[in-house]
Amino acid sequence: MAPGGSAFKEVLESHLMSSDYELGKAKSEAKSNSTFAKSSVGLNGKNGISSNNDVYDLLGCPVCKNLMYPPIHQCPNGHTLCSNCKIQVHNLCPTCHHDLENIRCLALEKVAESLELPCRYQSLGCHDIFPYYTKLKHEQNCGFRPYNCPYAGSECSVMGDIPTLIAHLKDDHKVDMHDGCTFNHRYVKANPHEVENATWMLTVFNSFGRHFCLHFEAFQLGTAPVYMAFLRFMGDDNEAKKFSYSLEVGANGRKLIWQGIPRSIRDDHRKVRDSQDGLIIQRNLALYFSGGDRQELKLRITGRIWRED
């Protein structure tokens, strides 16, 4: 244990006391030891927290294993857990099975206020340090947090940075990769009169040194069967807004044109689809564009990506 470790043991054991006097004493001890907490629990250069730090371990919820944030609850025997898990365990302590009642572990909450921690995405490039209670908020929007695989139509659990996902899409999903800012794609379906939720093969474009995902899907919009094409940007939303794109489909002297801003892959493809943020083609019109006897879907969609100055 680091020098002075016994002092923190006093603070964390004090939350087991039941009288008001002893609870007040625990708060006072936590406050007086805040300097110690920052020096031995906080930073180790920029390498984060020592893995054998007893205080850091005590801040981990025994149920979900995540760091606990106020309100931190405890049972009458002093076992702690986070507020979300308190509901999940039906108000029974997961350690001793005693009724949790509604007891706050104020001493541990006070201890947490004194900590400074690295971002959980430190290994991915984020080297910022945050007070304990602002760390979680930062991580929810950290620019270094990994992206989910943008491949639609599967429950792919792969996460990573953009180069990792590009290699994954190419090697594991056999996605078509193209360079350039214009495209001309043809989508065919043998029996378009049966429109079920379906996705065509994803296509990835490398344009302006960035990557874009072209999606084409069939689904029911209410009771109407429709087809939809849309573009997603492989990066964050603030960078996606620097680009625009257009999609066009038509035949027999008629056409539909869509122009918009690509959505970030931070937004799930289903979320984008359900928001109808793309080129939507009703089935009857799609069959009209297909020509012939309308027994087969044959849609040719052209598009262009450009950078907004």
Side-chain angles (χ1 to χ4, degrees), residues 2 16 53 64 75 80 92 180 209 251 260:
L16 305 180
N53 190 284
C64 67
C75 76
T80 58
L92 290 177

Side-chain angles (χ1 to χ4, degrees), residues 176-230:
D176 289 335
M177 301 282 178
H178 297 277
D179 293 327
C181 56
T182 60
F183 48 88
N184 186 336
H185 268 53
R186 189 166 180 259
Y187 298 96
V188 178
K189 183 175 175 61
N191 186 4
H193 294 284
E194 295 179 0
V195 176
E196 71 286 351
N197 288 342
T199 60
W200 271 256
M201 181 64 72
L202 178 69
T203 306
V204 174
F205 297 94
N206 180 3
S207 304
F208 306 100
R210 300 292 187 269
H211 290 88
F212 301 82
C213 299
L214 177 63
H215 296 266
F216 187 75
E217 303 196 9
F219 62 101
Q220 296 283 147
L221 184 58
T223 60
V226 299
Y227 300 95
M228 181 175 175
F230 56 91

Side-chain angles (χ1 to χ4, degrees), residues 270-284:
R270 186 176 295 274
K271 178 181 178 181
V272 180
R273 189 198 75 179
D274 291 347
S275 68
Q276 303 175 40
D277 192 4
L279 176 65
I280 297 177
I281 313 164
Q282 299 290 337
R283 184 178 64 182
N284 288 339

Side-chain angles (χ1 to χ4, degrees), residues 2 14 53 57 105 116 126 133 159 183 193 202 220 237 257 290 296:
S14 69
N53 190 284
D57 292 340
C105 186
E116 291 182 341
C126 183
Y133 290 137
M159 300 178 67
F183 48 88
H193 294 284
L202 178 69
Q220 296 283 147
D237 185 63
I257 299 176
S290 298
E296 185 178 33

Side-chain angles (χ1 to χ4, degrees), residues 81-99:
L81 79 166
C82 69
S83 57
N84 288 336
C85 290
K86 181 176 183 289
I87 298 172
Q88 294 180 12
V89 299
H90 306 293
N91 213 40
L92 290 177
C93 175
T95 303
C96 66
H97 306 294
H98 196 287
D99 286 341

Side-chain angles (χ1 to χ4, degrees), residues 33 39 53 78 95 101 103 125 168 200 204 233 269-270 297 309:
N33 281 286
S39 60
N53 190 284
T95 303
E101 301 175 4
I103 306 172
H168 163 68
W200 271 256
V204 174
F233 175 73
H269 86 282
R270 186 176 295 274
L297 179 75
D309 295 327

